[in-house]
Amino acid sequence: MVEDVTIRKNMKAVEDIIASECQKAGRKPEDVTLIAVSKTKPVEMLMEAYEYGCRDFGENKVQELLDKYEVMPKDIRWHMIGHLQRNKVKYIVDKVYLIHSVDSLRLAEEISKEAVKKNVCANILVEVNVANEETKFGTTCEEVKQLVQDIAKLPNICVKGLMTIAPFVENAEKNRPIFSKLKKISVDIMDENIDNITMENLSMGMTGDYAVAVSEGATCVRVGTGIFGVRQYMP
């Protein structure tokens, strides 16, 4: 178990780096949301981050999110950041603050349908596979604008921006063009003034490259290992 003091220290260190990058880029640190990626981590560790002041937690799996949702404070904003299967949408659509990983119209239609049933408005980000990695989900840079326009017509769903998962690299600077490209795409879409669309959120950057992502305009960074330490997978 990582001691609580370590989690607090890690969170403070991440916040300091975000603040430093914001200062260099002429941005306000409060414009960047630090999402503590808590997949595979026990509730005790999440509570240490919560007690430090963190209110945004990201999970990859629906069941794990639901289990933690039941026992943790209700003022937490839960972020679904992993690949979401259509048959799991109904379980989380009224519980998550933001779904980061919408990569197809069929998934968006399912989210819309379940949101109508539960009388909520689902906030989503469209996932873009900027690097065209075969192992990653996400729409292409060429198709994202059309996908956003199609999703915008659906009821009870609101597109709040874009998300990408950049390649794993040793040198974070290698991902700068990825983040820069996603920012440019978001600006291009914003310029279209499509109803029911805002591009207020750019979810990009993880433990290894969030500093570069912030300098390129990220508004959400997803940090797991940098807060909770190396992930432990259950057998």
Side-chain angles (χ1 to χ4, degrees):
M1 176 68 70
V2 175
E3 293 177 28
D4 58 343
V5 66
T6 306
I7 290 172
R8 289 202 302 270
K9 201 167 78 181
N10 288 350
M11 288 210 69
K12 176 73 167 64
V14 173
E15 287 176 348
D16 287 349
I17 289 169
I18 289 171
S20 169
E21 291 300 330
C22 283
Q23 186 178 18
K24 285 188 258 182
R27 303 178 65 199
K28 289 186 273 191
E30 54 267 33
D31 292 341
V32 179
T33 300
L34 171 56
I35 299 168
V37 178
S38 43
K39 60 183 178 180
T40 78
K41 296 300 180 184
V43 166
E44 297 79 36
M45 291 177 78
L46 276 68
M47 283 307 300
E48 298 298 350
Y50 178 88
E51 282 158 16
Y52 173 83
C54 181
R55 292 297 178 269
D56 293 270
F57 289 86
E59 288 289 337
N60 276 52
K61 292 194 161 59
V62 168
Q63 190 56 55
E64 193 174 351
L65 190 153
L66 292 173
D67 291 345
K68 290 171 178 172
Y69 177 90
E70 288 305 320
V71 297
M72 290 196 66
K74 289 297 172 260
D75 62 337
I76 286 173
R77 293 180 290 261
W78 291 100
H79 298 255
M80 181 65 199
I81 60 176
H83 181 63
L84 180 58
Q85 294 167 304
R86 296 200 305 281
N87 63 349
K88 300 278 179 72
V89 168
K90 58 178 176 274
Y91 301 115
I92 63 158
V93 75
D94 57 343
K95 295 179 175 68
V96 295
Y97 176 72
L98 189 61
I99 299 171
H100 289 234
S101 47
V102 178
D103 58 358
S104 70
L105 185 58
R106 286 177 76 197
L107 176 56
E109 286 168 344
E110 189 65 28
I111 292 168
S112 170
K113 186 179 89 177
E114 293 297 335
V116 168
K117 274 190 206 170
K118 290 189 161 70
N119 196 28
V120 295
C121 183
N123 293 320
I124 67 142
L125 305 180
V126 172
E127 182 173 357
V128 188
N129 186 352
V130 180
N132 290 318
E133 288 185 282
E134 284 182 14
T135 54
K136 300 261 174 74
F137 294 100
T139 187
T140 65
C141 295
E142 294 72 36
E143 293 169 346
V144 59
K145 191 183 287 188
Q146 185 59 55
L147 178 57
V148 165
Q149 288 172 327
D150 292 340
I151 294 173
K153 296 168 188 162
L154 300 171
N156 291 54
I157 192 167
C158 192
V159 180
K160 294 287 189 180
L162 306 175
M163 179 268 236
T164 197
I165 299 172
F168 178 77
V169 290
E170 293 292 333
N171 176 7
E173 281 297 326
K174 286 191 173 171
N175 281 337
R176 189 175 292 279
I178 304 283
F179 301 140
S180 172
K181 188 166 187 180
L182 193 71
K183 172 68 175 176
K184 183 179 185 309
I185 291 169
S186 79
V187 170
D188 289 346
I189 292 173
M190 201 161 55
D191 288 346
E192 299 277 325
N193 289 321
I194 309 162
D195 283 346
N196 198 28
I197 299 288
T198 70
M199 284 288 127
E200 64 194 56
N201 280 308
L202 268 187
S203 173
M204 57 189 196
M206 305 198 303
T207 294
D209 56 17
Y210 69 88
V212 175
V214 169
S215 71
E216 289 295 335
T219 66
C220 299
V221 293
R222 310 178 302 270
V223 180
T225 307
I227 292 171
F228 298 111
V230 179
R231 207 164 290 128
Q232 259 103 46
Y233 285 98
M234 298 297 174

